[in-house]
Structures are given as structure tokens and as C-alpha cells.
Amino acid sequence: MQDLLEGLNDRQKEAVVNTEGPCLVIAGAGSGKTKVLTHKIAYLISEKYVKPWNIIAITFTNKAANEMKERIQNIIGDAANDLWMGTFHSICVKILRKYIDRIGFDHSFLIFDTSDQKTLIKECLKDLKVDDKLFNDRAVLSEISNGKNEMLEPKAYQTKYAGDFRRETIGNIYELYQQRLKENNALDFDDIINCTIKILTENPDVLEYYTEKFKYVLVDEYQDTNKAQFMLVSILASKYGNITVVGDNDQGIYSFRGADITNILNFEKDFPGTKIIKLEQNYRCTGNILKAANAVIKHNDNKYEKKLWTANDEGELPSIYQAEDEYDEATYIVSQINHLKTEEYYKYSDFVVLYRMNSQSRAIEDILRREDIPYKIVGGLKFYERKEIKDIIAYLRLIYNPSDNISLKRIINEPKRGIGKTSLDNIQQIAEQNGISMYEIIKNAEQYGLNRVKANADEFINLIEELRVKQNELSISELIKETLNKSGYTKALELENSVEAESRIQNLEEFLTVAIEFEEEFADNTLGEFLENITLSSDIDNVEDAENSVTLMTLHSAKGLEFPTVFLVGLEEGIFPGYKSIGEENALQEERRLFYVGITRAKEHLYLTCAKRRTIFGSTSYNAISRFVKEIPEELLDGYEEMQKEKVEDKFEDSNYGWKYGNKESKVKTYTFGTGEYEVKKQTPVTTGFQYRTAESFLSSLNKKNDFDISKYKEGQRVYHKKFGEGTINKVEEEGEDYKIDINFDKVGHKRLMAKFAGLEII
């Protein structure tokens, strides 16, 4: 026993040896919760002489389960093989394989994946004569999944939503869908837990067997459980009451997946006599990073208040940087990566960039590619490899070159047009026989006896022909808008009405930003040049070993991970927290928990970044710095004073309102500078955007009033910048009435500045 408890702190030991009755372990970030769970299981077996098969340990990922089992094996040996350990679904499938005949299924049942589910839903829609344009298969599946998460069977669902036409219709689809699943001897993912609960509650002998078998129940990440998962563990622990759950109410971030944080908040009410143990010693982060995390999370309502502390060094202060735009933000990130890699010998794999939305990755990817820094996307695809982006590019390629059979096959049924694989195979065969493109065959389908193809594809052909004519009349961004609108692609995603569809729409809007930037940079901006530019920018030829690459991921994907250096980006009102969360207190508190999760991923270095202006979803916005950043005391943020010095007094910044293109209001604002007062009219017509939003843009209009000698800077000179420190001028280029200066700064690396506004001092 001495060896087993050695290395545990007092609270961890308390959690391990407290084996009888309900126990709630509130485990702060980086506090060693996995160690507690593994040692508690080992303690039960080696010191309390509990049989391994009388213990069930439930995790949320197979990876976590495998890691725990491996650790337990290292402590107690092969006895760990007799444990029941795994995810909710893997454990339930073991029960179902034995007893599913009790609810009318054969033991050889199948589990339908998403693709199978969609096929089945489409059959149901067809048989019920439901318009699949009004009831998209994905939207219907999403709603059925929500009903199953609430443990509503079809009849209960229909009763609950009686009088609601859309949901009544979905209720009918749900009923037929479940009938067809049974006909196929199949379950979907949501059924796995619900059917297990049904077997246990309807069969006393099965209930007695498993409640007797599992004398000790342990659950990880309890704050992420939903209603069905809560019901399952409650049933399994009902006989002996020896249930230990480990979680952190400050890290509950999955409500959109059906997780119910009240499960952990109400645990002591649901399980009377609960022993509550808090793990507050953090082994991951430096002291200053923890201070920042504690300062933020204290703004949430918190039933189980805790304050993380560490015996680690205080470390560096978290850094704050306000960029001019998303590209300046990305350049700053790269400069810090290069600095730490060069000066402190960090590897690329030591860095992670965390963002709120997948669409934020594009500018960062662009700069990483430009600097030849290898990276990988976790929890998402690289921007140009995402399905919706590849689809719209395929449309543009077909418009530009109708002989592109690859692109045609990709989008002929995006959205659905009733041209199946058999028809496409036939079209391809005829095209090959005649030595012409598939597009030409479809365009002249009647000549080849393809009357059904003609009927289904006529609208598609007319669309491509119309856009081929317009490609020389419209700008690239206008052509994209026309394509998305007239093809019905965006409309189909809107009808889907799911989180995934919303993300796809956001990515398409971000693709508009790509086009707008291309138009601004290239004078001719033809469709051919645009497609070439896209192809080259998404072709990564010299990526190093994937294990040594910078990681990019959403904050939700980062849960449970840790990195030496973390960049938390896009910290502006409307981005993080998002607009939808700002007016809803529960949603805002979950966003704050997400920010807290992001902070506590960092072991040694934490960088927080925001931008004065950000072009995203096809428009430029000017939003205030995130309230979450402002919740961190100024003295805990390196760079805060410099950021404040640069800030020009602006009364609008006292509010959380952000100016955006497309706002039809006009305001008058007075900026005060050392040279006097100037009145600036901020106009916001829809087409051109307003004239001045920042002091920099206003000063740019006063170039002629600026009479200092901008020609004094020379290559090789040593200069000083108030933010970036000392550096050497590499290159000076004339740009209008100003000079563009490339400088290699000693601490932050390469920067490109305009001479008139850089405020450089020659050393």
C-alpha cells in the first residue's frame, strides 16, 4: 500500500482510499484526475481485495480507456484485463450482445453509421411522400438524435410535439425510421445506450445480474454526461451505491452535444451521502498562467468553487497582442514560434493554435505555408480540403473548363439532382466512346437516349452555361455568390439546420474573403488566375514529419490535451464570445469555461491575441477586445501597457459595439492628436464601407501634414521600435509617398512596417 499511495498529494490520497459510497471528485485542470482513477482501481483490487470483474470504469474516449488500463497494468499486472473499462457505447454493446433478444433484436445486430442512417432516412422520406427539400435527411437525423438524447421514443416524441407541424412530421419519420432499423436488425449510435437502459429496466433478472456484478462504478469526465448516460450509471450503481465520478464543473463545454452540466452540479442530491473531494493542485501550468485562469473563471456562477495552485515556477506572464488584422495576428504567431524554436530550442510539436471556429484557421494556415512551417489540423480539415470548399472550387473549375470530368462528377449531385451512380457510369462510358467530355454528353443527353438524365440535369446545365457567360462580367466574389445561390448549395445547407451545416456555411462565407482578397491583390483577377492561385496555395510540398508540426485546432477539440506553448486567438467580442452567446447568460458562462479550458492547456507559455479589424465570413468587422481578456488583471498580462499606449482615445470602445461593413448608420467622431483636433465622419454605405475606423486609417489621410524625413532609413541600420524592440533594416522600398521597411527584430523576428507610422528610432 505504501508504494501505491506514494507520489499522491493529500487530496489525491483521500480520493483513492474513499472507496465506499458515492464520491464526487472535483478535479481541476491538470490536477492528476487520471492518476486518481487508476490508483483507485488498483487500490480496490490490491488493498480492498475487490475482484477486477466487479469494477466498471467508464471513460469518454477509447484512447483514455486504453491509457488507464495500461497504467493499471503497470501497477497490478494482468488482473487489469478482467476490468470492465471503456466508453459508454463500448460497454453497452457488450451488454446488448448478450441480452438484445429481450427487446426483439437478433444477437448479430448491426450498428448503422451516419451514411447508413442517411440512406434509411431517405427511404423513409420517400415512403411517407415527405418533401426532402423541406425535410433534409441530415436535419431530420439531427432532430431524431435530440429526441433520443432526451430518451423520447417515437410515441413520446409525437405526444410532446403535438401541434408543431414540422416536429409532428419528424415524429412520423422517426417512427418509421425505428421500424426500418428493426427490420434491418440494426441500431444507430444513439440507440446503443437507450436500448441498454430499456433492457435493464424491463428485465429484473438482467438488472439484478449487472447491479450485483458492478459493485464499484467509476466515471470520468462526468460534467460531459447527458441524460441517458446519467440514467445508465444511476441504474448500475443502484444496488451498492459505490459510485465515484470525476469531473470539473469549470470545464463543461459540450452542451451542444447534449451534455447536461447539472448532472455534476446535482450529484450530491442524486446520490445522498456524497463525499466531495477537490483536487486543486495543478501539475501542468506555471503560476502566472494559473492566476490568469483563476481570474477568469471566478466570474462564473460556481457551486464547487476552487482555486488552482501549483508548486511550479511562476514562469512568464501570459502575453497579449492586438494585431492590425488576422494576417498580422498570424504573422505575430509565427514570429513567436520562430523565436522560441531558435532561442529556446522548442520543437514545432510544442506549439498549438486554438480558435473558436474552424474558419479562423485560414489566415494562420496561409502564413504558416508562406514561412514553410509544417502544421496539422486536429478535429477538422485544412481549409481548402473541406468538402464545401472543394465543392465550390469544383463548380468554378467546371465553369472555367467544361472538360473537367472530375469536377463534374463531384458536384453534379451537390445538391441532389437525382443523377445516380449508374447514370454517371453510363455517361462516362459514352463520353469515352465518343472522345468528348461528360458535360457535353449531359448537355446533349437526348441525342444519346438519356431522356431521364436530360430531365434531371437540365437545370444544372442551364446554370453552368449561364455562369460561363457571366464569368467575364462578374468579379470572382460575385461569381461565387451567384453559384452558391443559383445552384441551391447554400439553401440546402440552411434547410439542414444542423451545427455541421452552420459551420459549412461559415466556411463558404470565409471563402468569399479569399476571393475578395484576391481581387484586391491582383488587377486582372480572372477566374483562371484565381483557380491557379488556389491550387498553388493549397499544395504543400515540403511538409516535415507530421509528428513535428504545429497543431491547429478548435478549443472544443483541445479538451484533455496540453502543450508547452498555447496561442489563443481571435479574442474579440462577437468571435469569442460569439454573438449568439452574448445575450444569454448560460451560453456566456459556457463560453467562459471554454476560454478557461484554453488557458489551462498551456504548460509554459500562453499568448492571447486579438485584432483591431478582422475579415471573416465575407465582411470586415471592428470589434471590442473580448470581455474574457479584460477579466484578467492588467498586471498579469505582458504587453498590456504597450497595447494601451498605442490605443487612441475612442469613446466607442467603451461599449461592446463593433462597427461592421454594411451598417447603414453614420456617426461623427472627434479624434484628438497632439497636432490638434480633427472631425472625422464615419460613413458606412453598404457598398464601400466607412472611411475611417482607426486612428491609423485616419492618420493615413493626413500624410501631407506629416513632414518628417522618411528617406533617412537605410539598409543595414539598427533601429528601435517601442513594441518590437531593436532590429536591423533588411530592405527599404518606396511605396507612394511613404517607404515600406523590412526589419529583422532581435526578439520577434521579421516585420514589415510603413515608415511614416512606425515611430522608429535610429540607434
Side-chain angles (χ1 to χ4, degrees):
M1 185 171 76
Q2 183 64 36
D3 290 339
L4 187 58
L5 299 180
E6 188 176 353
L8 301 177
N9 65 40
D10 290 344
R11 297 285 76 76
Q12 290 174 331
K13 288 177 184 176
E14 185 180 4
V16 166
V17 302
N18 193 84
T19 59
E20 308 307 304
C23 179
L24 171 60
V25 181
I26 301 294
S31 62
K33 69 179 179 64
T34 302
K35 190 172 188 177
V36 165
L37 281 170
T38 54
H39 279 68
K40 185 160 190 170
I41 292 169
Y43 182 83
L44 283 167
I45 295 169
S46 62
E47 302 300 327
K48 304 291 286 186
Y49 305 109
V50 176
K51 303 299 182 187
W53 51 86
N54 292 141
I55 301 171
I56 182 170
I58 306 175
T59 64
F60 266 79
T61 65
N62 289 317
K63 180 182 177 182
N66 292 335
E67 180 185 345
M68 285 177 59
K69 182 167 280 189
E70 186 177 332
R71 289 197 194 185
I72 295 168
Q73 282 176 329
N74 290 337
I75 300 172
I76 62 172
D78 292 340
N81 294 328
D82 293 325
L83 290 166
W84 272 51
M85 179 176 288
T87 64
F88 276 97
H89 292 93
S90 65
I91 283 171
C92 286
V93 167
K94 289 179 72 173
I95 297 174
L96 291 172
R97 287 292 177 205
K98 191 171 183 180
Y99 291 106
I100 199 168
D101 60 315
R102 301 290 184 97
I103 55 173
F105 287 79
D106 188 82
H107 292 289
S108 61
F109 68 92
L110 300 171
I111 299 171
F112 272 12
D113 63 15
T114 304
S115 178
D116 299 323
Q117 290 174 257
K118 288 178 185 174
T119 300
L120 200 56
I121 283 290
K122 287 172 186 174
E123 289 180 8
C124 294
L125 293 173
K126 183 179 178 181
D127 290 350
L128 292 172
K129 296 181 171 56
V130 174
D131 188 345
D132 59 3
K133 293 180 181 177
L134 295 175
F135 292 86
N136 177 278
D137 54 359
R138 291 183 183 178
V140 172
L141 274 173
S142 177
E143 185 59 34
I144 290 174
S145 180
N146 290 339
K148 290 184 177 184
N149 283 338
E150 293 180 36
M151 300 184 67
L152 295 175
E153 293 188 352
K155 293 296 183 187
Y157 183 95
Q158 292 166 336
T159 301
K160 180 174 181 178
Y161 294 112
D164 181 328
F165 168 74
R166 179 171 179 80
R167 282 177 164 169
E168 277 187 345
T169 304
I170 290 175
N172 294 333
I173 300 167
Y174 182 12
E175 185 173 29
L176 181 58
Y177 171 71
Q178 289 302 111
Q179 179 184 322
R180 293 290 167 80
L181 278 172
K182 196 164 187 178
E183 289 172 0
N184 283 274
N185 193 36
L187 306 179
D188 68 15
F189 206 61
D190 295 311
D191 286 331
I192 292 172
I193 296 176
N194 287 343
C195 287
T196 303
I197 292 171
K198 186 177 178 68
I199 290 170
L200 291 170
T201 54
E202 293 181 356
N203 296 273
D205 60 323
V206 180
L207 177 65
E208 170 63 22
Y209 175 79
Y210 283 108
T211 55
E212 174 63 30
K213 175 180 177 62
F214 298 131
K215 294 180 171 63
Y216 294 88
V217 178
L218 299 94
V219 186
D220 193 13
E221 302 286 8
Y222 191 69
Q223 77 281 348
D224 294 330
T225 53
N226 60 28
K227 182 176 180 179
Q229 290 162 343
F230 162 74
M231 180 68 70
L232 179 68
V233 297
S234 298
I235 291 171
L236 295 177
S238 60
K239 184 169 186 177
Y240 287 97
N242 298 323
I243 178 170
T244 296
V245 301
V246 180
D248 184 3
N249 50 301
D250 289 334
Q251 295 187 70
I253 58 173
Y254 294 120
S255 65
F256 68 95
R257 294 181 185 170
D260 187 354
I261 199 168
T262 61
N263 286 349
I264 193 168
L265 297 178
N266 294 335
F267 184 84
E268 57 186 311
K269 178 181 175 182
D270 296 326
F271 298 91
T274 293
K275 172 77 172 177
I276 300 173
I277 301 167
K278 295 180 184 179
L279 305 183
E280 296 176 290
Q281 182 175 358
N282 176 285
Y283 292 91
R284 176 188 301 152
C285 310
T286 61
N288 283 320
I289 291 173
L290 280 188
K291 288 175 185 175
N294 287 332
V296 169
I297 203 62
K298 74 178 183 181
H299 288 81
N300 267 8
D301 298 333
N302 201 330
K303 180 178 179 181
Y304 298 113
E305 187 174 349
K306 61 186 177 302
K307 188 171 183 180
L308 295 183
W309 64 276
T310 183
N312 297 338
D313 294 337
E314 288 292 277
E316 296 182 2
L317 291 174
S319 295
I320 179 72
Y321 178 72
Q322 186 175 31
E324 293 299 317
D325 57 23
E326 66 271 23
Y327 281 99
D328 185 28
E329 178 182 57
T331 302
Y332 170 77
I333 291 167
V334 167
S335 71
Q336 299 307 313
I337 290 173
N338 286 334
H339 169 70
L340 289 173
K341 188 172 182 292
T342 303
E343 301 298 326
E344 301 186 30
Y345 305 105
Y346 280 71
K347 304 185 298 294
Y348 284 130
S349 56
D350 292 330
F351 301 97
V352 67
V353 182
L354 303 177
Y355 36 77
R356 183 63 183 83
M357 301 175 290
N358 276 315
S359 54
Q360 289 174 258
S361 73
R362 185 181 63 83
I364 299 165
E365 290 185 62
D366 285 348
I367 301 300
L368 288 170
R369 282 198 302 270
R370 187 191 75 186
E371 299 296 324
D372 293 324
I373 294 178
Y375 68 93
K376 60 183 176 183
I377 302 283
V378 176
L381 294 170
K382 292 178 180 178
F383 185 80
Y384 294 110
E385 294 176 1
R386 290 169 181 150
K387 178 188 181 302
E388 59 277 12
I389 302 303
K390 294 182 79 169
D391 285 349
I392 186 59
I393 290 173
Y395 266 105
L396 296 176
R397 284 172 53 178
L398 190 64
I399 292 166
Y400 183 67
N401 175 21
S403 296
D404 187 346
N405 291 337
I406 299 297
S407 292
L408 182 140
K409 286 192 288 185
R410 180 177 184 88
I411 47 90
I412 187 68
N413 272 314
E414 293 289 344
K416 300 301 181 187
R417 297 185 177 92
I419 302 174
K421 184 179 183 300
T422 302
S423 294
L424 279 176
D425 289 343
N426 189 27
I427 291 165
Q428 187 168 358
Q429 185 177 8
I430 295 171
E432 290 172 353
Q433 289 172 351
N434 288 272
I436 56 178
S437 70
M438 292 176 67
Y439 181 85
E440 284 298 315
I441 299 296
I442 297 171
K443 184 178 177 181
N444 302 288
E446 287 176 321
Q447 297 178 20
Y448 300 94
L450 302 171
N451 295 332
R452 184 177 177 184
V453 169
K454 168 70 174 173
N456 290 338
D458 207 40
E459 189 176 323
F460 172 74
I461 293 295
N462 290 337
L463 168 69
I464 300 300
E465 290 296 302
E466 178 186 349
L467 295 176
R468 278 181 55 73
V469 172
K470 287 186 174 182
Q471 66 175 299
N472 296 320
E473 305 169 5
L474 301 174
S475 67
I476 306 299
S477 57
E478 289 169 341
L479 183 64
I480 292 169
K481 289 177 184 177
E482 286 266 300
T483 303
L484 290 171
N485 181 35
K486 293 191 174 181
S487 68
Y489 195 99
T490 301
K491 185 66 176 176
L493 289 174
E494 290 171 348
L495 288 171
E496 195 174 308
N497 192 31
S498 67
V499 174
E500 182 183 3
E502 184 177 353
S503 177
R504 291 189 187 281
I505 291 171
Q506 289 175 348
N507 288 332
L508 288 169
E509 290 171 339
E510 181 65 5
F511 188 68
L512 279 172
T513 302
V514 176
I516 292 168
E517 291 172 354
F518 175 81
E519 291 163 3
E520 292 172 350
E521 186 174 353
F522 297 90
D524 293 333
N525 57 68
T526 65
L527 179 56
E529 288 175 330
F530 178 68
L531 291 171
E532 181 180 304
N533 184 267
I534 289 295
T535 303
L536 292 175
S537 64
S538 60
D539 185 19
I540 305 170
D541 297 320
N542 300 307
V543 177
E544 296 178 20
D545 183 358
E547 292 304 312
N548 186 29
S549 55
V550 176
T551 302
L552 276 62
M553 65 172 72
T554 64
L555 281 144
H556 282 102
S557 300
K559 181 73 180 299
L561 302 177
E562 59 181 39
F563 293 85
T565 301
V566 169
F567 294 92
L568 254 172
V569 307
L571 300 178
E572 301 124 42
E573 293 288 297
I575 303 292
F576 192 21
Y579 284 120
K580 291 182 180 179
S581 304
I582 288 174
E584 212 283 305
E585 186 58 30
N586 287 338
L588 186 62
Q589 293 206 19
E590 179 155 330
E591 289 280 283
R592 186 177 284 110
R593 293 196 292 270
L594 189 59
F595 185 56
Y596 174 81
V597 166
I599 291 175
T600 53
R601 298 313 93 195
K603 297 169 68 175
E604 298 162 12
H605 299 282
L606 174 65
Y607 294 90
L608 310 175
T609 66
C610 54
K612 295 175 184 176
R613 61 181 178 274
R614 185 179 298 277
T615 304
I616 194 166
F617 307 150
S619 66
T620 299
S621 60
Y622 299 81
N623 295 336
I625 296 172
S626 171
R627 68 190 68 197
F628 300 150
V629 174
K630 295 176 181 178
E631 290 169 357
I632 301 174
E634 297 174 14
E635 62 271 16
L636 284 179
L637 291 175
D638 181 35
Y640 187 87
E641 288 184 10
E642 289 83 352
M643 189 171 71
Q644 290 300 98
K645 285 175 186 176
E646 287 192 353
K647 209 163 140 186
V648 176
E649 188 67 31
D650 186 344
K651 292 179 183 176
F652 287 124
E653 291 195 7
D654 291 338
S655 71
N656 285 326
Y657 183 78
W659 288 84
K660 265 193 171 181
Y661 281 110
N663 191 321
K664 297 181 181 179
E665 298 179 20
S666 293
K667 302 245 182 185
V668 174
K669 173 65 187 167
T670 299
Y671 288 104
T672 304
F673 301 101
T675 52
E677 270 195 2
Y678 300 93
E679 185 176 76
V680 181
K681 187 174 184 181
K682 298 204 282 195
Q683 300 172 328
T684 57
V686 175
T687 54
T688 61
F690 47 76
Q691 289 177 310
Y692 309 114
R693 174 59 181 82
T694 65
E696 289 80 4
S697 60
F698 175 58
L699 284 170
S700 295
S701 71
L702 303 175
N703 278 343
K704 293 180 181 178
K705 298 180 182 291
N706 200 333
D707 57 3
F708 74 91
D709 182 10
I710 59 176
S711 64
K712 61 185 178 181
Y713 302 112
K714 309 293 181 186
E715 292 181 12
Q717 277 181 334
R718 292 286 293 173
V719 292
Y720 172 79
H721 185 274
K722 62 182 179 181
K723 175 183 285 187
F724 305 128
E726 295 183 9
T728 303
I729 295 177
N730 294 330
K731 192 176 182 181
V732 180
E733 293 181 15
E734 189 172 352
E735 180 128 334
E737 298 179 1
D738 202 346
Y739 282 91
K740 184 164 58 180
I741 307 177
D742 281 9
I743 306 170
N744 187 29
F745 287 101
D746 299 344
K747 292 185 178 179
V748 299
H750 175 263
K751 295 285 182 184
R752 184 176 291 117
L753 307 173
M754 301 307 294
K756 283 188 177 181
F757 308 112
L760 296 171
E761 297 178 20
I762 297 174
I763 301 175

